[in-house]
Coordinates of all heavy atoms in Angstrom, one line a residue:
K40 N 21.8 -17.6 16.6 CA 22.5 -16.5 17.2 C 23.7 -17.1 18.1 O 24.7 -16.4 18.2 CB 21.7 -15.6 18.1 CG 20.7 -14.8 17.3 CD 20.0 -13.8 18.2 CE 19.0 -12.9 17.3 NZ 19.7 -12.2 16.3
T41 N 23.6 -18.3 18.6 CA 24.7 -18.9 19.4 C 25.8 -19.2 18.5 O 27.0 -19.0 18.8 CB 24.2 -20.1 20.1 OG1 23.9 -21.2 19.2 CG2 23.1 -19.9 21.0
H42 N 25.5 -19.6 17.2 CA 26.6 -19.8 16.2 C 27.2 -18.5 15.7 O 28.4 -18.5 15.5 CB 26.0 -20.7 15.1 CG 25.6 -22.1 15.5 ND1 26.5 -23.1 15.5 CD2 24.4 -22.6 15.8 CE1 25.9 -24.2 15.9 NE2 24.6 -23.9 16.1
E43 N 26.3 -17.5 15.6 CA 26.8 -16.2 15.1 C 27.8 -15.7 16.1 O 28.9 -15.1 15.7 CB 25.6 -15.3 14.9 CG 24.8 -15.6 13.7 CD 23.5 -14.7 13.6 OE1 23.3 -14.0 14.6 OE2 22.9 -14.7 12.6
R44 N 27.5 -15.8 17.4 CA 28.4 -15.2 18.4 C 29.8 -16.0 18.3 O 30.8 -15.3 18.3 CB 27.8 -15.4 19.8 CG 28.8 -15.0 20.9 CD 28.2 -15.4 22.3 NE 29.1 -14.9 23.3 CZ 29.0 -15.3 24.6 NH1 28.0 -16.1 25.0 NH2 29.9 -14.8 25.5
H45 N 29.7 -17.3 18.2 CA 31.0 -18.1 18.1 C 31.8 -17.7 16.8 O 33.0 -17.5 16.9 CB 30.6 -19.5 18.1 CG 31.8 -20.5 18.0 ND1 32.1 -21.1 16.9 CD2 32.6 -20.9 19.0 CE1 33.2 -21.9 17.1 NE2 33.5 -21.7 18.4
S46 N 31.1 -17.6 15.7 CA 31.8 -17.2 14.5 C 32.5 -15.9 14.5 O 33.6 -15.7 14.1 CB 30.8 -17.3 13.3 OG 30.3 -18.6 13.1
K47 N 31.8 -14.9 15.1 CA 32.3 -13.5 15.2 C 33.5 -13.6 16.2 O 34.5 -12.9 15.9 CB 31.3 -12.6 15.7 CG 30.2 -12.2 14.7 CD 29.2 -11.3 15.3 CE 28.1 -11.0 14.3 NZ 27.0 -10.1 14.9
Q48 N 33.4 -14.3 17.2 CA 34.5 -14.3 18.2 C 35.8 -14.9 17.6 O 36.9 -14.5 17.9 CB 34.1 -15.2 19.4 CG 35.2 -15.2 20.5 CD 34.7 -15.5 21.9 OE1 33.5 -15.3 22.1 NE2 35.5 -15.9 22.8
H49 N 35.7 -15.9 16.7 CA 36.8 -16.6 16.2 C 37.2 -16.2 14.7 O 38.1 -16.7 14.1 CB 36.6 -18.1 16.2 CG 36.6 -18.6 17.6 ND1 37.7 -18.9 18.4 CD2 35.5 -18.9 18.4 CE1 37.3 -19.3 19.6 NE2 36.0 -19.3 19.6
G50 N 36.4 -15.2 14.2 CA 36.7 -14.7 12.8 C 36.3 -15.7 11.7 O 36.9 -15.7 10.7
Y51 N 35.3 -16.5 12.0 CA 34.9 -17.5 11.0 C 33.8 -16.9 10.1 O 32.9 -16.1 10.5 CB 34.2 -18.7 11.6 CG 35.2 -19.5 12.5 CD1 34.7 -20.1 13.7 CD2 36.5 -19.7 12.2 CE1 35.5 -20.8 14.6 CE2 37.4 -20.4 13.1 CZ 36.8 -20.9 14.2 OH 37.7 -21.6 15.1
E52 N 33.8 -17.2 8.8 CA 32.7 -16.9 7.9 C 31.6 -17.8 8.3 O 31.7 -18.9 8.6 CB 33.1 -17.1 6.4 CG 34.1 -16.1 5.9 CD 34.3 -16.3 4.4 OE1 33.3 -16.6 3.7 OE2 35.4 -16.2 3.9
M53 N 30.4 -17.3 8.2 CA 29.2 -18.1 8.4 C 28.2 -17.9 7.3 O 27.9 -16.8 6.9 CB 28.5 -17.6 9.8 CG 27.3 -18.4 10.2 SD 26.8 -18.0 11.9 CE 25.3 -18.9 12.0
H54 N 27.7 -19.0 6.8 CA 26.8 -19.0 5.7 C 25.5 -19.8 6.1 O 25.6 -20.9 6.6 CB 27.4 -19.7 4.5 CG 28.7 -19.1 4.0 ND1 28.7 -18.1 3.0 CD2 30.0 -19.4 4.3 CE1 29.9 -17.8 2.8 NE2 30.7 -18.5 3.6
V55 N 24.4 -19.1 5.8 CA 23.1 -19.7 6.2 C 22.2 -19.8 5.0 O 22.0 -18.7 4.3 CB 22.4 -18.9 7.3 CG1 21.1 -19.6 7.7 CG2 23.3 -18.7 8.5
L56 N 21.7 -20.9 4.6 CA 20.8 -21.1 3.5 C 19.4 -20.6 3.9 O 18.8 -21.2 4.8 CB 20.7 -22.5 3.0 CG 19.8 -22.8 1.8 CD1 20.3 -22.1 0.6 CD2 19.7 -24.3 1.6
R57 N 19.0 -19.5 3.3 CA 17.7 -18.8 3.7 C 16.6 -19.1 2.7 O 15.5 -18.7 2.9 CB 17.9 -17.3 3.8 CG 18.8 -16.9 5.0 CD 18.0 -17.1 6.3 NE 18.7 -16.5 7.5 CZ 18.1 -16.5 8.7 NH1 16.9 -16.9 8.9 NH2 18.8 -16.0 9.7
R58 N 16.9 -19.8 1.6 CA 15.9 -20.0 0.6 C 16.2 -21.4 0.0 O 17.3 -21.7 -0.3 CB 15.9 -19.0 -0.5 CG 14.8 -19.1 -1.5 CD 15.0 -18.1 -2.6 NE 14.9 -16.7 -2.1 CZ 13.7 -16.1 -1.9 NH1 12.6 -16.7 -2.2 NH2 13.7 -14.9 -1.4
G59 N 15.2 -22.2 -0.1 CA 15.4 -23.6 -0.7 C 15.9 -23.5 -2.1 O 15.4 -22.7 -2.9
I60 N 16.8 -24.4 -2.4 CA 17.4 -24.4 -3.7 C 16.7 -25.3 -4.6 O 16.4 -25.0 -5.8 CB 18.9 -24.9 -3.6 CG1 19.7 -23.9 -2.8 CG2 19.5 -25.0 -5.0 CD1 21.1 -24.4 -2.5
T61 N 16.3 -26.5 -4.1 CA 15.6 -27.5 -4.8 C 14.7 -28.3 -3.8 O 14.4 -27.8 -2.8 CB 16.6 -28.4 -5.6 OG1 15.9 -29.4 -6.3 CG2 17.6 -29.0 -4.6
G62 N 14.4 -29.6 -4.2 CA 13.7 -30.4 -3.2 C 14.4 -30.6 -1.9 O 15.6 -30.5 -1.8
G63 N 13.6 -30.9 -0.9 CA 14.2 -30.9 0.5 C 15.4 -31.8 0.6 O 16.4 -31.4 1.3
Y64 N 15.4 -33.0 0.1 CA 16.6 -33.9 0.2 C 17.9 -33.3 -0.3 O 18.9 -33.4 0.3 CB 16.3 -35.2 -0.5 CG 17.6 -36.0 -0.8 CD1 18.3 -36.6 0.2 CD2 18.0 -36.2 -2.1 CE1 19.4 -37.3 0.0 CE2 19.1 -36.9 -2.4 CZ 19.9 -37.5 -1.3 OH 21.0 -38.2 -1.6
W65 N 17.8 -32.6 -1.4 CA 19.0 -32.1 -2.0 C 19.5 -30.7 -1.5 O 20.6 -30.3 -1.8 CB 18.8 -32.0 -3.6 CG 18.8 -33.3 -4.3 CD1 19.9 -34.0 -4.7 CD2 17.7 -34.1 -4.6 NE1 19.6 -35.1 -5.3 CE2 18.2 -35.2 -5.3 CE3 16.3 -33.9 -4.5 CZ2 17.4 -36.2 -5.8 CZ3 15.5 -34.9 -5.0 CH2 16.0 -36.0 -5.6
N66 N 18.7 -30.0 -0.7 CA 19.1 -28.7 -0.3 C 20.4 -28.6 0.4 O 21.3 -27.8 0.1 CB 18.0 -28.0 0.5 CG 16.9 -27.4 -0.3 OD1 17.2 -26.7 -1.3 ND2 15.6 -27.7 0.0
K67 N 20.5 -29.4 1.4 CA 21.8 -29.4 2.2 C 23.0 -29.7 1.4 O 24.0 -29.0 1.4 CB 21.7 -30.4 3.4 CG 23.0 -30.5 4.2 CD 23.0 -31.7 5.1 CE 22.0 -31.6 6.3 NZ 22.2 -32.7 7.3
L68 N 22.9 -30.8 0.6 CA 24.1 -31.2 -0.2 C 24.4 -30.2 -1.3 O 25.5 -29.9 -1.6 CB 23.8 -32.6 -0.8 CG 23.5 -33.7 0.2 CD1 23.2 -35.0 -0.4 CD2 24.7 -33.9 1.2
A69 N 23.3 -29.6 -1.9 CA 23.5 -28.6 -3.0 C 24.2 -27.4 -2.4 O 25.0 -26.8 -3.0 CB 22.2 -28.3 -3.7
F70 N 23.7 -27.0 -1.3 CA 24.3 -25.8 -0.6 C 25.7 -26.0 -0.3 O 26.6 -25.1 -0.5 CB 23.4 -25.5 0.7 CG 23.9 -24.3 1.4 CD1 24.0 -23.0 0.8 CD2 24.1 -24.3 2.8 CE1 24.4 -21.9 1.5 CE2 24.5 -23.2 3.5 CZ 24.7 -22.0 2.9
L71 N 26.1 -27.1 0.3 CA 27.4 -27.4 0.6 C 28.3 -27.5 -0.6 O 29.5 -27.0 -0.6 CB 27.5 -28.7 1.4 CG 27.0 -28.6 2.9 CD1 26.9 -30.0 3.5 CD2 27.9 -27.7 3.7

Side-chain angles (χ1 to χ4, degrees):
K40 288 186 181 301
T41 66
H42 293 277
E43 289 176 345
R44 178 189 181 190
H45 182 256
S46 295
K47 288 179 181 178
Q48 179 155 342
H49 294 278
Y51 301 141
E52 288 186 37
M53 182 170 169
H54 301 270
V55 182
L56 181 62
R57 290 286 186 176
R58 184 183 299 274
I60 299 172
T61 180
Y64 160 68
W65 284 277
N66 274 314
K67 177 193 292 190
L68 302 177
F70 180 51
L71 289 169

